[in-house]
Amino acid sequence: GGKAMNTTWLGFEIISPLQGGTPSDFTIARISSDKFTYTANETARLRSTALNASANATLSDLTLKVTVSAPGGGLVFTNEKPLATLLPGGAFTFDSFFNVALLAPGTPYTAKLEIVQGAQLITQATTTLSIATTLRFAGTLAVVPSLIAPNDPFSLDFTLENRGNVDILGALG
């Protein structure tokens, strides 16, 4: 036999996968928007993140649900992402895009990220954003003939297009 030259003892701990609680205790949800206020016809970007803060529990069968609700509570946008596995210490980030063109001005619109495992809600996060009243018109004006002498008749044609998010009577009244 041989003779041991050096011996070192190291302590270690075996942690059970769910030590410290259930998945809702170590799953973190984050959601943010790229702006606080949007105007008509802008595209809003929502960034959503699911984080597994566990040291050794793998999360599986997740669905990340993003919703946006109007000030009155009506649902105006939804997006879902399935996530088969989220490893310990891992994060999954994704962006959702939606155009605010048809949304009425107001605040707060509430964006929510729900992290669901199977059919059970694990955790959620929210943020708010607003839609500003936007007056934006475009149009054309045509005068025939292009040169008009004093007291000569002429024709004036115009078109007006509302590219804002309020009706034209409300904007002019």
Side-chain angles (χ1 to χ4, degrees):
K3 182 176 179 183
M5 299 300 291
N6 188 6
T7 303
T8 302
W9 294 93
L10 297 174
F12 65 94
E13 181 180 5
I14 297 174
I15 302 172
S16 67
L18 295 179
Q19 182 175 357
T22 63
S24 62
D25 294 326
F26 54 79
T27 306
I28 300 168
R30 294 185 182 131
I31 188 167
S32 62
S33 59
D34 60 332
K35 295 172 65 174
F36 294 114
T37 303
Y38 297 90
T39 60
N41 295 312
E42 285 191 304
T43 298
R45 182 184 79 191
L46 300 174
R47 175 153 290 170
S48 302
T49 300
L51 175 65
N52 181 351
S54 168
N56 64 352
T58 298
L59 294 169
S60 59
D61 188 29
L62 299 178
T63 303
L64 283 59
K65 297 180 180 182
V66 175
T67 58
V68 178
S69 300
L75 197 61
V76 297
F77 175 78
T78 62
N79 186 21
E80 289 190 11
K81 292 281 186 193
L83 183 58
T85 304
L86 187 57
L87 297 174
F92 177 74
T93 299
F94 70 99
D95 290 335
S96 301
F97 298 91
F98 70 100
N99 190 299
V100 303
L102 299 178
L103 300 182
T107 189
Y109 279 80
T110 302
K112 178 170 37 174
L113 169 63
E114 294 179 326
I115 301 176
V116 178
Q117 187 175 44
Q120 182 177 355
L121 176 66
I122 295 175
T123 190
Q124 64 184 11
T126 61
T127 190
T128 58
L129 51 104
S130 64
I131 311 297
T133 300
T134 307
L135 301 175
R136 188 176 295 153
F137 300 103
T140 60
L141 179 64
V143 179
V144 177
S146 57
L147 294 174
I148 305 168
N151 297 321
D152 280 353
F154 65 93
S155 169
L156 180 66
D157 290 320
F158 71 93
T159 61
L160 184 63
E161 182 181 354
N162 182 355
R163 294 184 180 172
N165 59 7
V166 292
D167 66 57
I168 197 163
L169 293 176
L172 299 176

